[in-house]
Amino acid sequence: MAEPALRLCADAGLRFEATDRALLVPCANAPVDLLLVRAHDVPEYVQDGVVDLGITGANLVVESEVDVVTLAELGFARCTLQAAVPEDAPQTQLTDLDGLRIATVYPVSTRARLAEIGVAAELVPVSGAVEAAPRLGLSDAIVDLVSTGSTASANGLRLLGSLLESQAVLIASEGALERRRELVERVVLMVSGVVAGRRRRYLMLNAPRTALDGITALLPGLGAPSVIDLAEPGQVAVHAAVDADDIWNLLAPLKAAGASSILVLQIEKMM
């Protein structure tokens, strides 16, 4: 999580010169210091006032049972807390876990989420290699973080379902919001602007004015697109911010509707 977090800070305009050995890194262009610690420790550090803001996983906030405020979802380190059983096990859904022994590194999150669906199970806390627990006879099932599911499959496990969605989040304590609200809000503004920009692309194209209605109908942008008259009579330029996920399904229909000279650009920040 450290590398994308540092890249996010840099893209937000915070210039840190982090090294492999430094744990406390000052910012060269803002009144901010960066403390590099394990993601598991961040929620506690924020709650206790050791730091004002923290970047960690949403699942670790739940697991730590800390009193903090989530200020923004950051869009990286996406994963899910998934239950899994051996391939030949009879269980097919989460409710089938009732009464079983479940090994997990995340007992707090697991217990809370299973209770929400009415499942009572015996949890077996482990510190690592949770995938091996059923094979070693330690448990009947496991609950662990999953990004692609390939690790579970490689260990002969079958996923049953998700208990918790997680990604990197920016968190703060209520105390930090009171003491340094202006600075906290500025950091949140800049970081959120980067996250919003990464989710979108700036689309530019030329088209005949007669094709404008059909083209604008295709654009799922933020409000109405900008339309600019070109030097050539009857031709316009259309500019719009669209979701990055829409680009794949958007360009061919735009071309068919009469668009030309289509450019797709990354957005540095969007506020």
Side-chain angles (χ1 to χ4, degrees):
M1 190 175 290
E3 183 179 343
L6 288 171
R7 189 164 58 249
L8 175 64
C9 290
D11 291 346
L14 299 173
R15 186 154 56 85
F16 296 109
E17 295 182 3
T19 66
D20 292 339
R21 295 182 180 180
L23 297 180
L24 183 62
V25 186
C27 180
N29 61 336
V32 178
D33 291 329
L34 181 69
L35 179 64
L36 299 175
V37 297
R38 296 190 318 150
H40 286 73
D41 295 330
V42 170
E44 195 72 37
Y45 278 36
V46 172
Q47 176 183 256
D48 293 348
V50 177
V51 295
D52 299 307
L53 297 168
I55 294 177
T56 188
N59 67 296
L60 296 178
V61 176
V62 176
E63 188 67 25
S64 301
E65 297 184 292
V66 291
D67 183 17
V68 298
V69 179
T70 298
L71 302 176
E73 295 180 333
L74 304 180
F76 63 89
R78 293 183 180 274
C79 55
T80 58
L81 193 65
Q82 293 261 3
V85 295
E87 286 283 2
D88 58 355
Q91 292 78 22
T92 59
Q93 54 189 353
L94 291 174
T95 52
D96 293 338
L97 296 173
D98 195 58
L100 300 185
R101 292 173 303 150
I102 302 175
T104 183
V105 182
Y106 307 99
V108 174
S109 307
T110 300
R111 183 177 293 106
R113 294 304 186 257
L114 289 178
E116 290 176 1
I117 60 174
V119 171
E122 177 188 348
L123 298 188
V124 182
V126 296
S127 58
V130 67
E131 294 87 1
R135 188 167 60 250
L136 296 175
L138 296 176
S139 68
D140 305 302
I142 71 164
V143 169
D144 200 14
L145 286 180
V146 172
S147 54
T148 64
S150 59
T151 301
S153 179
N155 284 276
L157 299 173
R158 171 169 44 84
L159 300 179
L160 290 186
S162 173
L163 295 173
L164 176 68
E165 300 285 335
S166 181
Q167 63 176 294
V169 291
L170 180 68
I171 61 174
S173 65
E174 291 286 359
L177 293 175
E178 294 174 3
R179 292 191 308 271
R180 300 180 176 178
R181 179 171 295 277
E182 183 179 352
L183 183 56
V184 168
E185 289 180 348
R186 183 176 298 186
V187 172
V188 173
L189 175 66
M190 297 302 290
V191 168
S192 298
V194 173
V195 174
R198 289 176 176 177
R199 292 172 179 164
R200 293 179 175 86
R201 296 292 182 266
Y202 194 70
L203 181 68
M204 306 166 61
L205 59 89
N206 295 343
R209 181 169 286 278
T210 54
L212 186 57
D213 288 345
I215 287 173
T216 56
L218 292 170
L219 294 174
L222 299 175
S226 299
V227 179
I228 306 165
D229 286 319
L230 297 178
E232 184 178 347
Q235 293 289 313
V236 296
V238 179
H239 295 191
V242 301
D243 286 347
D245 292 343
D246 292 333
I247 292 297
W248 172 259
N249 294 318
L250 192 56
L251 297 188
L254 286 173
K255 195 79 173 175
S260 61
S261 302
I262 301 174
L263 295 178
V264 180
L265 306 176
Q266 290 188 332
I267 298 174
E268 184 174 333
K269 296 181 183 68
M270 177 174 286
M271 300 178 182

